[in-house]
Amino acid sequence: REAIKKTEANLLEPIFKLEITCPDDFVGNVVGDLNSRRGKVLNMTVKPQGQVISAEAPLAQLFGYATDIRSLSQGRAFFSMEFLEYAPVPPKVRAEILHKLGR
């Protein structure tokens, strides 16, 4: 904690790549939920089973996502995720983290 107080720490967070398959009726709900989780929609593709949404989101925002996506889509959407990269934490989130550490 003392070291963080004395330096300007560059905090990084893991970013995950998501591929979500969702029926057309629920795409708006799923995209809105991704946006609320600091996610970025990269691409949307039409497939016979519905829309395939390619996105990126920080891991910290994805805990509980499986339950939430089932609720948003009445159990009809599914997703996969894999590690993509580490990225700097946005300034607002960084300030919250440092505040919790007592800085």
Side-chain angles (χ1 to χ4, degrees), residues 34-74:
L34 277 172
N35 289 333
S36 72
R37 295 173 184 269
R38 295 191 294 128
K40 263 192 293 193
V41 175
L42 304 174
N43 190 18
M44 293 175 60
T45 309
V46 178
K47 299 277 179 153
Q49 64 270 31
Q51 299 274 344
V52 177
I53 303 166
S54 297
E56 297 174 358
L59 179 61
Q61 302 296 317
L62 293 176
F63 292 108
Y65 189 62
T67 303
D68 293 342
I69 198 168
R70 280 195 299 269
S71 296
L72 290 169
S73 66
Q74 297 175 1

Side-chain angles (χ1 to χ4, degrees), residues 4-57:
I4 290 175
K5 289 179 184 179
K6 294 178 182 177
T7 63
E8 281 298 316
N10 188 14
L11 300 178
L12 300 176
E13 65 181 343
I15 304 295
F16 275 68
K17 176 182 169 185
L18 299 166
E19 188 171 284
I20 305 159
T21 303
C22 177
D24 293 333
D25 298 343
F26 305 105
V27 170
N29 293 341
V30 171
V31 170
D33 183 62
L34 277 172
N35 289 333
S36 72
R37 295 173 184 269
R38 295 191 294 128
K40 263 192 293 193
V41 175
L42 304 174
N43 190 18
M44 293 175 60
T45 309
V46 178
K47 299 277 179 153
Q49 64 270 31
Q51 299 274 344
V52 177
I53 303 166
S54 297
E56 297 174 358

